Amino acid sequence: MDLRIFTEPQQGATYDDLLAVAQETERLGFDAFFRSDHYLHMSGDGLPGPSDAWTTLAGLARETSTIRLGTLMTSATFRHPGVLAIQVAQVDQMSGGRVELGLGAGWFEGEHAAYGIPFLDTRERFDRYAEQLEIVTGLWATPEGERYSFAGEHYTLTDSPALPKPAQAKPPVLVGGLGKRRTPELAARYADEFNLPFVDLDTTRAQFARVREACGAIDRDPATLTWSNALVVCVGVDEAEIARRAAAIGREVDELRANGLAGTPSEVVDRLGQFAEAGSQRAYLQMLDLGDLDHLRLIAAEVLPHV
């Protein structure tokens, strides 16, 4: 199973904090460094304030050399799809072809209110999200020298040169979530990877099955998708260290053991094995205490070699 590091900098992190984690992630041999794309904290005071995901990733693209870089998830409410396609392509060029785009419909109403971003009802957000997936992937797929046009209910593009091109033929696109109909349909049509955020094994099995069924409906081989989970991680060499790390992120050990990847390294390896048996090929380890680089080193030494 691939292990990737996933951060939530809206909870309180500077660019330098993220750079330190990303560079240590690379040095220790993890597959990728991902970050959320949020503008408002969910708990605590959020100091020193939010950072923009694609601005951050542009910086990290120039200060790392091997790890993959991406978002879980960029909200479709934040950017026009034409602008987003340009941003991601440019950061992909800056990284030498290491970028991945996690794109979602958006859900956190509070951050929209706080920063003056329109927040529409669920149906319209998903309608716009579907058009964004079509446009972003369509712009990248348009051969150089040709033009791209799109006429949808919410977005219209006319004779776009569809430039710049990413360094990769197509940056991988991640779709995720628990919707029972439209989410699986969009994943089957547009995603290179399907991701589930912070769910248990039974939910993982059920939602993966829905996406496989949606793939079958359009004659797509489900094996062409990568299947993944995002899970909060809290690892310690003993109960005292586990409890200390849980307290640092405001969580209870028993709850983390039930709902995430928590415990000793061997416990976490076993838990990852259960998700692998449920069909997951990749885990995004949500690191909430970005100052605790020893946590990252422990996982690299005692978990990474065994999965």
Side-chain angles (χ1 to χ4, degrees), residues 25-172:
T25 295
E26 181 169 86
R27 187 186 72 80
L28 292 169
F30 289 96
D31 183 58
F33 174 90
F34 270 58
R35 60 155 291 165
S36 59
D37 194 356
H38 285 296
Y39 293 131
L40 192 67
H41 56 95
M42 288 85 170
S43 61
D45 56 22
L47 293 174
S51 54
D52 180 78
W54 288 101
T55 302
T56 299
L57 293 175
L60 297 179
R62 307 303 290 178
E63 299 192 81
T64 59
S65 59
T66 60
I67 52 170
R68 307 289 294 176
L69 300 166
T71 51
L72 282 182
M73 298 283 190
T74 284
S75 174
T77 59
F78 289 173
R79 300 167 181 88
H80 188 286
V83 174
L84 181 61
I86 291 169
Q87 288 177 307
V88 177
Q90 185 176 9
V91 178
D92 194 52
Q93 291 176 358
M94 294 168 72
S95 72
R98 293 183 285 123
V99 159
E100 306 188 11
L101 170 63
L103 185 60
W107 63 270
F108 188 16
E109 186 173 3
E111 68 188 338
H112 293 75
Y115 288 97
I117 303 167
F119 187 76
L120 306 166
D121 63 61
T122 301
R123 179 174 180 177
E124 184 166 348
R125 290 202 313 280
F126 265 84
D127 289 346
R128 288 176 178 269
Y129 173 42
E131 290 189 18
Q132 288 220 2
L133 286 165
E134 172 75 23
I135 292 165
V136 170
T137 56
L139 286 166
W140 291 340
T142 300
E144 286 191 28
E146 296 186 14
R147 299 277 171 159
Y148 176 82
S149 295
F150 177 87
E153 183 180 351
H154 302 288
Y155 303 104
T156 300
L157 284 72
T158 304
D159 291 334
S160 172
L163 297 172
K165 296 302 183 196
Q168 300 171 88
K170 175 181 177 287

Side-chain angles (χ1 to χ4, degrees), residues 282-301:
R282 178 174 289 160
Y284 292 81
L285 310 183
Q286 186 196 44
M287 303 281 295
L288 294 174
D289 184 358
L290 299 186
D292 187 1
L293 293 182
D294 285 340
H295 192 194
L296 197 61
R297 295 172 190 133
L298 174 64
I299 296 167

